[in-house]
Amino acid sequence: MKTKSFTQTLCLIFFMVLLLSSCSKKFVMQNSGIAPAAYAIAKVDKGDNDNYKVEIKVTHLAPSKDLHPSRKTYVVWMETDKNGTKNIGQLQSSSSMFSRLLKGYLETFTSFKPVGFFITAENEPAISYPGSMVIFKSN
């Protein structure tokens, strides 16, 4: 009797996790080879008000000043379904003394529907058009 109840509870938890995770869309980004050890993923959640929450997470990311040629920052770009390419912000980089992983993160909200993302190395964060040094690009 307890086994049946446990199995039902386990199934209910599984379907709840599946339901919650299906609300998100993930974009795995392909590395261009400029920062070969780095890995990036974008997660998009659509809110009740038709806005989109965008989270970008990057690991093993070399400081932009260590690139050749050197750059000042990483900028995240969003490709939209109807409104072209948008600069959605500067990737915030961090590393702690307890971790050897260099990490980058960006969280933002947008009213534009995202269809893809890419990250470039730039000399200025507030630019209107991406440069040619693409670090990652989603499929």
Side-chain angles (χ1 to χ4, degrees):
M1 185 87 159
K2 288 185 181 181
T3 305
K4 186 176 181 182
S5 176
F6 175 75
T7 304
Q8 289 173 339
T9 303
L10 192 59
C11 286
L12 180 61
I13 291 171
F14 173 77
F15 285 115
M16 287 176 62
V17 168
L18 184 64
L19 178 65
L20 291 174
S21 66
S22 67
C23 298
S24 298
K25 183 172 182 178
K26 289 187 179 178
F27 294 82
V28 176
M29 296 195 197
Q30 300 298 315
N31 189 312
S32 68
I34 294 173
Y39 174 80
I41 192 162
K43 180 180 167 192
V44 177
D45 291 305
K46 186 174 181 181
D48 294 335
N49 58 357
D50 289 335
N51 285 331
Y52 298 88
K53 177 182 176 185
V54 176
E55 289 180 275
I56 309 287
K57 293 180 182 179
V58 181
T59 58
H60 300 287
L61 183 65
S64 57
K65 65 180 177 58
D66 292 347
L67 297 174
H68 298 286
S70 176
R71 295 291 192 260
K72 291 183 181 176
T73 190
Y74 293 104
V75 176
V76 180
W77 301 87
M78 179 179 71
E79 298 170 316
T80 66
D81 64 340
K82 296 178 184 172
N83 299 92
T85 301
K86 304 288 182 192
N87 176 339
I88 59 170
Q90 179 179 0
L91 197 61
Q92 299 301 311
S93 300
S94 68
S95 64
S96 69
M97 67 166 105
F98 300 109
S99 173
R100 295 182 116 153
L101 295 178
L102 295 170
K103 299 177 183 178
Y105 183 77
L106 174 72
E107 179 180 298
T108 190
F109 294 86
T110 181
S111 59
F112 302 114
K113 181 180 179 183
V115 295
F117 297 91
F118 61 100
I119 299 173
T120 60
E122 304 289 351
N123 283 323
E124 298 298 326
I127 57 176
S128 300
Y129 301 100
S132 61
M133 192 179 283
V134 176
I135 309 299
F136 294 103
K137 185 164 180 61
S138 65
N139 290 338

